[in-house]
Amino acid sequence: MTNELATTTKYDIQLKANEAVKAFDLLPVNETTRADYKARIGLYVDFINQHGLNRNTLLDYRRYLDSRTDYSVSTKNKYFTSAKRYTGVLHTAGLLPVDITKDISGKDLKGFKQNKKHKKDGLQIDEVQRLSEYLQSLEPTLPNYRLKAMLALFMYQGLRQIEVIRLDVTDIDLKNSKAFIHGKGRDDKEPIALHPYTAQALSDYLTATNKKSGALFTSNSNNSYNQRMTTRGLRKVITGVLDNLGIDNSVHGFRHYFTTTMVKHYKGDLLTVAHYTRHKNLEMLQVYNDAINAEADLPRYYKAFEGLTIW
């Protein structure tokens, strides 16, 4: 570690940290990831201001995150990843004389080990049925056509939130029942087949809006009216409906529902399911398959102790 870094004051680091936040805009990541970095970096900045900055700062920060019992493993990983990228940005932007990540072994910089089993279930069939009945009862208005189109992309296509908001009108090919998706971690758009229900919902929506180009879904809020909808805005719309129906789940729960339904229907044929879910590997799909098999095996497990009671 150089003397320059060793003698840097906390006040100087604070100024440099604020400037480095702007440098996140230079990272080759999507807007959602960039916003996530910025939202989580404040904790690391506070940590630096309290403890100073030295060659062990990242390791000390990792230990601090490890001690937080109010954060899930997933949340800890997000905060630590933001801190690592932030430290690199400081050096790249010329605000930090050395890259302190180079003084730490790759093993020490690894995130927290996370259990791959799902912590929260997707929507259950009765909840989806309740949602279906609600949608069927809606009047044929533009806001309702919009809502149905969004939910169809979640329920029948299993799209991710970022994939939904990235859709342009020109990505929808109703003639051939296809859509072109800018998927997670993809540089190019990939075609997917539209379920007939999705195609109908999109057709109704596009007819009602008479849109020919631009973002498929735009915001209705005053501050960003007619601009491309954000994932936050999308979640607000969908969770509002779920809350009204008494469904305690998240927007991501639709993808869990879609994937679980497909794994069950295709009886564990994960290669075929991956074609529809667009998972890059089968590891995550195997998690779904294992959960389905474990649930199906419960009666046999219960029977093993049949007759042995403590009441």
Side-chain angles (χ1 to χ4, degrees):
M1 186 63 58
T2 66
N3 291 333
E4 182 180 358
L5 182 58
T7 59
T8 301
T9 66
K10 292 182 179 181
Y11 177 73
D12 287 336
I13 292 299
Q14 176 68 63
L15 289 177
K16 293 176 180 179
N18 288 338
E19 287 299 316
V21 169
K22 300 177 183 178
F24 271 122
D25 294 329
L26 303 177
L27 290 177
V29 295
N30 63 53
E31 290 301 324
T32 302
T33 301
R34 185 176 293 111
D36 193 54
Y37 284 157
K38 291 182 178 181
R40 297 181 185 278
I41 203 56
L43 187 67
Y44 184 50
V45 171
D46 289 343
F47 185 85
I48 291 174
N49 291 330
Q50 291 178 27
H51 303 283
L53 184 62
N54 57 61
R55 68 190 305 267
N56 292 317
T57 293
L58 275 173
L59 291 179
D60 292 338
Y61 184 63
R62 190 187 188 284
R63 295 188 188 101
Y64 163 72
L65 290 174
D66 192 33
S67 71
R68 293 286 297 255
T69 59
D70 55 331
Y71 287 166
S72 67
V73 173
S74 175
T75 298
K76 291 177 182 180
N77 277 327
K78 290 176 181 177
Y79 274 104
F80 191 53
T81 298
S82 296
K84 288 189 291 184
R85 294 304 297 266
Y86 184 83
T87 305
V89 166
L90 280 171
H91 177 61
T92 301
L95 304 174
L96 193 62
V98 294
D99 183 358
I100 65 174
T101 65
K102 300 300 184 183
D103 291 336
I104 305 173
S105 71
K107 180 179 179 181
D108 292 330
L109 279 180
K110 285 184 178 180
F112 301 88
K113 290 185 178 180
Q114 187 171 358
N115 191 323
K116 294 184 181 299
K117 293 184 178 179
H118 299 304
K119 301 299 189 300
K120 188 171 183 179
D121 293 331
L123 272 77
Q124 302 301 303
I125 186 64
D126 63 310
E127 295 173 330
V128 176
Q129 187 60 43
R130 198 187 321 165
L131 181 59
S132 173
E133 292 171 357
Y134 168 73
L135 293 175
Q136 292 177 58
S137 72
L138 295 179
E139 296 294 325
T141 64
L142 177 55
N144 290 338
Y145 283 137
R146 177 176 180 254
L147 177 63
K148 286 186 176 183
M150 290 176 178
L151 286 171
L153 290 166
F154 288 126
M155 293 168 63
Y156 305 119
Q157 308 297 151
L159 295 193
R160 302 175 177 90
Q161 297 168 58
I162 188 66
E163 294 169 341
V164 171
I165 66 165
R166 283 174 174 173
L167 281 170
D168 291 328
V169 173
T170 51
D171 291 328
I172 308 301
D173 179 5
L174 292 176
K175 182 179 178 181
N176 296 299
S177 292
K178 291 184 181 297
F180 294 86
I181 307 298
H182 186 178
K184 179 181 177 181
R186 309 277 185 174
D187 295 323
D188 199 7
K189 295 180 179 180
E190 55 184 320
I192 64 168
L194 293 176
H195 190 282
Y197 292 160
T198 309
Q200 184 62 57
L202 289 171
S203 177
D204 291 343
Y205 170 63
L206 289 173
T207 299
T209 61
N210 198 31
K211 283 187 175 184
K212 304 298 182 185
S213 61
L216 182 64
F217 297 115
T218 52
S219 173
N220 289 335
S221 67
N222 293 330
N223 295 332
S224 56
Y225 183 75
N226 216 30
Q227 296 180 22
R228 185 181 298 275
M229 178 173 275
T230 63
T231 51
R232 181 180 179 182
L234 180 65
R235 283 194 296 272
K236 185 177 181 180
V237 172
I238 305 302
T239 55
V241 175
L242 296 180
D243 289 344
N244 288 338
L245 294 176
I247 298 174
D248 181 20
N249 217 296
S250 65
V251 179
H252 191 66
F254 284 99
R255 184 162 171 82
H256 282 267
Y257 161 76
F258 176 82
T259 305
T260 300
T261 300
M262 295 294 283
V263 172
K264 286 182 177 179
H265 184 76
Y266 283 91
K267 303 185 186 305
D269 180 0
L270 302 186
L271 282 175
T272 300
V273 173
H275 169 73
Y276 291 101
T277 62
R278 291 166 296 107
H279 281 94
K280 292 181 179 179
N281 58 60
L282 301 185
E283 184 179 5
M284 184 54 66
L285 288 179
Q286 188 60 53
V287 172
Y288 284 92
N289 197 45
D290 290 345
I292 292 169
N293 290 337
E295 183 178 3
D297 190 61
L298 284 177
R300 187 169 63 166
Y301 160 55
Y302 298 155
K303 191 173 180 60
F305 298 93
E306 191 172 41
L308 180 63
T309 179
I310 58 176
W311 290 279

